[in-house]
Amino acid sequence: MTRKRPTIADLRAIKGKRQLTMLRVMNLDEAEAAERAGVDIVSIPPTLILDPRYREVAPSLFSMPGENFFEIGTADDFVRWAFRMYKAGADAVYCSASYATVKRMADEAIPVIGHVGLIPSRATWTGGFKAVGKTADTAMQVFDAVKQLEAAGAFGAEIEVVPVEVAEAISQRTSLFLLSMGAGTGCDAQYLFAEDVLGQNRGHMPRHSKVYRNFAAEYDRLQAERVAAFSEFVADVNSKAYPEDKHLVHMAPDELARFMERIDA
């Protein structure tokens, strides 16, 4: 049975009733896998939603393109960018820019997902890449940010690396659809990066990540196979084992004779 892609109204109706799943996917293969696996929501690069093949492989995924605010620019730039994303089939857009920028897009009926807690593009303001909201004062700052996004007209927010108790208390006190990245099950969706799930990430693994496969080892195996195959090709050429007769096209003898007469003339 084909799934129906959820609307904003559908997600709002689900809030507080059950957990949804969310992945950051980077290409068509990952998007197709997410679709077939029954993932609910995906965060994607803008280039992916602009690919006409995207909705062919991911018809039911609630899809949210996003870039860091400094990649897009001012509020006017964001509005133009959001219209382009929405026209291409986006269901919402991610925005880590100002509340004023969020409001500009929300005023144009663009569903906007903001970001609170650890915001990588703004991590210098909260002390680097670490949990945010571990004290009463900083937890209130997270709550205030959620309420400001709410007032600006955002539909939801990614809440990243915030204590589970804080995230749950906030989720119960906001209309925003909260996407938990390391903030516990008191929110509305659980969000991981596909590269972590697949074991592609060779660097630091965040505390909240969970590895389900070891693609890095598989990529290493495939690369070794590439080197071996290329080396065999080089050896075959050097030893004249390639090309064999089966790899070649031959000319009919009478045509070859006519050709040789003409070329030598």
Side-chain angles (χ1 to χ4, degrees), residues 224-250:
E225 287 294 302
R226 285 189 188 96
V227 173
F230 294 171
S231 298
E232 290 170 21
F233 167 65
V234 170
D236 274 0
V237 171
N238 290 337
S239 68
K240 302 189 184 309
Y242 177 86
E244 299 174 53
D245 192 65
K246 64 183 179 181
H247 302 124
L248 305 175
V249 176
H250 289 283

Side-chain angles (χ1 to χ4, degrees), residues 8-41:
I8 298 294
D10 292 331
L11 295 184
R12 281 179 166 163
I14 291 169
K15 180 174 173 61
K17 296 178 180 177
R18 66 181 178 90
Q19 296 274 289
L20 299 187
T21 53
M22 179 174 178
L23 289 173
R24 172 71 172 179
V25 302
M26 300 299 292
N27 54 54
L28 289 171
D29 287 342
E30 291 179 353
E32 181 182 9
E35 174 75 30
R36 293 172 61 184
V39 171
D40 299 297
I41 305 169

Side-chain angles (χ1 to χ4, degrees), residues 36-145:
R36 293 172 61 184
V39 171
D40 299 297
I41 305 169
V42 289
S43 167
I44 58 176
T47 51
L48 199 52
I49 197 70
L50 296 173
D51 189 324
R53 297 170 294 175
Y54 178 74
R55 281 304 181 192
E56 294 176 8
V57 303
S60 73
L61 292 178
F62 186 95
S63 301
M64 179 184 75
E67 288 273 24
N68 284 319
F69 64 92
F70 48 77
E71 299 288 350
I72 297 174
T74 66
D76 288 341
D77 297 326
F78 259 98
V79 170
R80 284 189 289 268
W81 171 82
F83 280 151
R84 189 179 180 210
M85 298 297 105
Y86 207 50
K87 182 179 178 181
D91 298 293
V93 297
Y94 166 85
C95 178
S96 60
S98 68
Y99 303 120
T101 298
V102 170
K103 186 176 187 305
R104 281 288 307 279
M105 288 189 287
D107 285 346
E108 299 293 345
I110 297 293
V112 183
I113 304 287
H115 200 155
V116 299
L118 169 59
I119 307 173
S121 58
R122 297 181 175 185
T124 188
W125 295 98
T126 52
F129 289 84
K130 61 183 183 181
V132 175
K134 294 177 73 173
T135 67
D137 287 344
T138 56
M140 280 304 300
Q141 290 173 9
V142 177
F143 179 61
D144 289 343

Side-chain angles (χ1 to χ4, degrees), residues 160-173:
E160 184 169 350
V161 196
V162 169
V164 295
E165 303 86 354
V166 172
E168 182 173 11
I170 291 175
S171 186
Q172 292 170 352
R173 292 165 174 79

